Amino acid sequence: MPQQSIKSETGRPLPDWKPAALPQRIPLQGSSIRLLPLDAERDAPALYLAEHPVDADPAQWDYLAAGPFDNPQDLNTWLQNCAGSTNPLFFSVFDRQSGQATGALSYLVITPEQGSIEIGHIWFSARLQRNRQATEAIYLLARHAFDDLGYRRLEWKCNALNLRSQQAALRFGFAAEGLFEQHRVFKGKNRDTAWFSMFDSEWPAQKAVFEAWLRVDNFDAQGRQKKTLQEIRAEFLEMQGNSVAAVMA
């Protein structure tokens, strides 16, 4: 008896898929910041000062591969290595008002043939942490990856013990995917890695949430937010649910 043919399921077809583009060393302009390709000679003095204020967070380097830096020369050496890399591809965060560099971050694990890219190596000084500019920096990289470069998957990974980074990922709209145990050896210690993602199909809604939150009228005269990202996201989800219900009624 001839064996019956069985059709295998191999995945959802992507008939229009084209590999994404590689990110280039170009500036990305925001309303409160600019992301400029990292330049060690230009950025090191300001970043060293940004690292050493009185209110600096002593734990800010715990989960980063480098730092803290005891002198400007050590920081300059590290920044030179970062500036010479294309994967990761580093950007410095510049305050548009002061014109000073206040932090750095990068694209990494850049895989255009699979349409996947990650945001990471995030170092935000005390001036940047938990404010409008930090959120705009993530928004600019996400927008560039999806809208300009054509990526289908944006990743965020962090040490599973880094609760601050995990909370930030969720705040920015990334979805938790799970845990890679014994994923890395980091500074002589085991690192379990928490994975988060955002997809191109989700980006239009997430983009609208970012842009609504970043609006000038969402902040009072002291720069305090009126609505959180989570509150705005919940409002968008409710509006979408009401629209679907109206169509089905």
Side-chain angles (χ1 to χ4, degrees):
M1 178 181 294
Q3 191 173 15
Q4 186 175 4
S5 175
I6 300 175
K7 183 178 180 180
S8 299
E9 291 293 339
T10 57
R12 173 168 55 90
L14 299 173
D16 299 323
W17 163 246
K18 296 184 296 184
L22 281 168
Q24 304 298 315
R25 291 176 55 81
I26 61 172
L28 302 177
Q29 305 289 347
S31 59
S32 65
I33 62 166
R34 295 186 301 156
L35 298 184
L36 301 183
L38 191 149
D39 181 291
E41 298 302 322
R42 179 195 65 203
D43 304 342
L47 289 177
Y48 185 76
L49 291 175
E51 183 197 355
H52 291 86
V54 175
D55 59 348
D57 180 1
Q60 65 180 316
W61 299 100
D62 285 354
Y63 300 106
L64 293 176
F69 300 97
D70 296 328
N71 56 72
Q73 291 73 28
D74 288 347
L75 174 61
N76 186 277
T77 298
W78 178 65
L79 290 178
Q80 286 179 351
N81 290 331
C82 293
S85 169
T86 57
N87 190 1
L89 179 65
F90 282 86
F91 294 84
S92 292
V93 183
F94 276 79
D95 183 315
R96 291 186 72 98
Q97 186 171 5
S98 70
Q100 296 297 309
T102 56
L105 73 172
S106 79
Y107 289 128
L108 68 158
V109 195
I110 303 167
T111 317
E113 66 275 15
Q114 301 297 335
S116 177
I117 194 168
E118 180 180 347
I119 294 176
H121 294 300
I122 299 169
W123 172 63
F124 290 157
S125 68
R127 286 184 55 191
L128 260 179
Q129 292 178 20
R130 300 173 182 172
N131 72 13
R132 183 171 184 266
Q133 294 181 334
T135 298
E136 186 168 29
I138 302 300
Y139 162 74
L140 289 175
L141 285 189
R143 184 182 69 181
H144 187 52
F146 285 124
D147 291 353
D148 302 328
L149 302 177
Y151 283 85
R152 62 194 296 260
R153 174 182 171 87
L154 182 64
E155 296 180 340
W156 180 292
K157 306 187 190 85
C158 62
N159 193 310
L161 298 176
N162 190 350
L163 299 181
R164 183 183 295 182
S165 182
Q166 293 190 57
Q167 291 166 355
L170 295 173
R171 176 178 175 269
F172 292 138
F174 289 81
E177 290 191 322
L179 188 68
F180 274 34
E181 297 187 46
Q182 297 190 190
H183 185 223
R184 292 285 186 269
V185 176
F186 178 74
K187 295 182 177 179
K189 299 180 180 179
N190 175 67
R191 168 175 149 160
D192 299 336
T193 300
W195 287 54
F196 299 82
S197 68
M198 185 185 298
F199 303 145
D200 55 350
S201 58
E202 301 166 337
W203 173 240
Q206 298 291 359
K207 179 181 179 180
V209 170
F210 272 112
E211 293 179 348
W213 186 86
L214 288 166
R215 285 171 55 98
V216 174
D217 59 11
N218 188 44
F219 297 86
D220 63 20
Q222 288 71 45
R224 295 173 300 203
Q225 64 181 353
K226 296 177 182 177
K227 291 183 179 180
T228 68
L229 268 173
Q230 295 92 325
E231 289 171 339
I232 293 174
R233 188 172 293 114
E235 290 177 356
F236 270 74
L237 290 173
E238 183 178 359
M239 289 171 56
Q240 289 178 338
N242 290 339
S243 298
V244 172
V247 169
M248 296 178 64

